[in-house]
Amino acid sequence: MAVQYWLMKSEPDEVSIDDLAAAPKQTVPWTGVRNYQARNFMRDMMRVGDGVLFYHSSCPEPGIAGIAEVASTAYPDETQFDAKSKYHDPKSTRESPRWQHVDVKLVRKTRLLSLKEMRAAPALATLRTLQPGNRLSITPVTPAEWKAVMQLLESA
DNA sequence: GCCAACGTTGGC
DNA sequence: GCCAACGTTGGC
């Protein structure tokens, strides 16, 4: 089957591209997703080796900061059981965990492809995360969109 | 800090 | 199962 592509948003205050680069094995568990659609993408759709656009959100310069890949299939998110975590979910149980996530591994840090630049690129007009009102933290990326991002990263 | 969009919750 | 209220997201 062909490789699939995703865009995953992270707040740099939580996990930045540099944090990913500094992590053991340059891999982090993508914990804290508390949206069913985003969870379903990870649980049902992602496969090891899928391409990931690592996107910085809620920061001074939003945009794509690097390339990563899916490094595991989905498994239960430990933070949902941690009463001290801000991601604690009292309604979730060990017997039937509500939240799952995959691991994400750095492929390479890139120049910052800013949100502004992304919006200006006709080839990215269809990108799910750029659609008005879209707040999903994980969205699918088409092969054409992925290719367009790679080309933009090589320019400038 | 504002605000629009939108997902979730909970009463009925 | 509807829907209003509420909370969160995320760019500006």
Side-chain angles (χ1 to χ4, degrees):
Chain A
M1 243 177 134
V3 178
Q4 303 178 123
Y5 302 106
W6 308 93
L7 181 145
M8 298 175 80
K9 295 181 190 173
S10 182
E11 300 187 14
D13 286 350
E14 298 261 332
V15 181
S16 70
I17 193 75
D18 291 324
D19 294 332
L20 179 60
K25 298 181 186 174
Q26 300 194 317
T27 301
V28 295
W30 206 264
T31 55
V33 169
R34 295 295 179 268
N35 171 284
Y36 289 106
Q37 220 178 328
R39 179 206 65 184
N40 292 347
F41 282 141
M42 290 196 285
R43 189 190 61 185
D44 305 333
M45 307 284 291
M46 284 189 182
R47 295 186 306 258
V48 173
D50 280 1
V52 173
L53 301 174
F54 192 102
Y55 180 92
H56 281 172
S57 71
S58 292
C59 60
E61 286 188 291
I64 293 167
I67 311 294
E69 66 182 22
V70 174
S72 80
T73 51
Y75 60 98
D77 184 337
E78 280 301 312
T79 63
Q80 70 193 310
F81 307 121
D82 180 358
K84 294 191 291 279
S85 169
K86 71 174 189 175
Y87 298 119
H88 181 230
D89 184 348
K91 292 180 182 168
S92 187
T93 63
R94 293 259 174 205
E95 292 69 37
S96 74
R98 181 180 288 194
W99 304 109
Q100 299 185 39
H101 62 77
V102 299
D103 289 345
V104 170
K105 182 183 195 318
L106 181 70
V107 173
R108 65 187 168 93
K109 187 179 173 180
T110 64
R111 76 178 180 91
L112 185 83
L113 180 63
S114 70
L115 176 60
K116 189 180 168 192
E117 203 176 341
M118 291 165 70
R119 287 200 189 283
L124 296 183
T126 54
L127 199 65
R128 185 98 163 254
T129 200
L130 298 186
Q131 304 312 306
N134 192 296
R135 298 179 312 161
L136 257 189
S137 61
I138 298 175
T139 49
V141 172
T142 68
E145 290 162 350
W146 177 272
K147 190 178 168 194
V149 168
M150 295 306 128
Q151 285 171 350
L152 285 166
L153 285 171
E154 283 164 21
S155 66

